[in-house]
Amino acid sequence: MTLPDKKDSLEKRFRYDADKNRFYVNFENYSIESLRDIQRIEFIVAEHLSHLEKRVDAIVNYENFTIQQELMDEYASMVNRLMEHFYAGVTRYTTDEFLREELGNTLKKKKVKPNFYESIEDAEHALTVYTWSWG
C-alpha cells in the first residue's frame, strides 16, 4: 500500500479490495483535529461500502496518527457506527504503545474491541484466524 503523507487528501486513504473483501484505511501521518474530520471519515467510508451487499473486513493503519483528546469519544462512537453497518471484523495496527492504550481504552468504553497489533502482518493474520461477530 502506498503511504500517503499529511498533504494527501483524506479520500486517498481508503481502499477496498474486492478479491479479499477487505477495506484498508490508512491513517498514517493523519491528524484528526475537528468534529468535521470525524464526519468526513464516516461519510467517505459509507460512500465506499454502502453499495456492497455484504460486510467487509477492515484493517486500519494508525502509525503516527494523532487525534485531539477532546475528540476521542466522538471518534470511538463513529467507529462503533461503522462497525454496526459495514464491518464484519476490524484489526488495527501501530507501533505506538501509548496510542494503542489510549485509543484502545476509549474504544472499549463504546463496546468496541480494539484489536490492536504492532504490524500489518499481524493485523492481516488476525483477520484470517479469527471469526468476528459484531451484531
Side-chain angles (χ1 to χ4, degrees):
M1 180 183 327
T2 304
L3 300 177
D5 63 24
K6 281 189 171 183
K7 297 178 202 169
D8 279 338
S9 72
L10 183 59
E11 291 79 10
K12 291 181 181 179
R13 294 174 174 272
F14 302 86
R15 181 176 61 88
Y16 175 64
D17 181 334
D19 292 334
K20 293 182 178 179
N21 193 40
R22 192 160 292 163
F23 190 58
Y24 293 91
V25 179
N26 188 355
F27 285 150
E28 183 164 355
N29 296 319
Y30 187 70
S31 181
I32 293 180
E33 299 172 352
S34 69
L35 182 58
R36 182 166 166 22
D37 291 339
I38 295 169
Q39 293 166 338
R40 285 183 63 220
I41 291 166
E42 188 168 14
F43 178 80
I44 292 167
V45 172
E47 270 192 324
H48 276 273
L49 303 178
S50 61
H51 69 282
L52 300 176
E53 296 180 9
K54 58 185 172 183
R55 291 175 181 249
V56 302
D57 286 329
I59 297 178
V60 185
N61 175 358
Y62 281 106
E63 202 61 35
N64 297 312
F65 170 83
T66 59
I67 182 169
Q68 299 294 317
Q69 183 64 39
E70 64 272 13
L71 297 171
M72 285 281 244
D73 196 55
E74 185 59 39
Y75 179 78
S77 293
M78 181 269 301
V79 169
N80 195 15
R81 289 189 299 273
L82 294 177
M83 291 177 63
E84 288 175 354
H85 294 286
F86 301 114
Y87 300 153
V90 181
T91 57
R92 302 164 178 84
Y93 68 97
T94 181
T95 56
D96 184 337
E97 288 182 43
F98 180 74
L99 179 65
R100 283 197 309 261
E101 177 79 17
E102 187 173 18
L103 184 54
N105 287 337
T106 303
L107 290 170
K108 286 177 190 174
K109 289 177 189 171
K110 297 291 182 178
K111 308 277 191 251
V112 174
K113 294 179 183 177
N115 297 327
F116 265 109
Y117 299 88
E118 288 190 18
S119 70
I120 189 170
E121 294 83 11
D122 291 342
E124 291 262 2
H125 178 74
L127 283 176
T128 61
V129 171
Y130 299 112
T131 302
W132 305 100
S133 176
W134 302 110

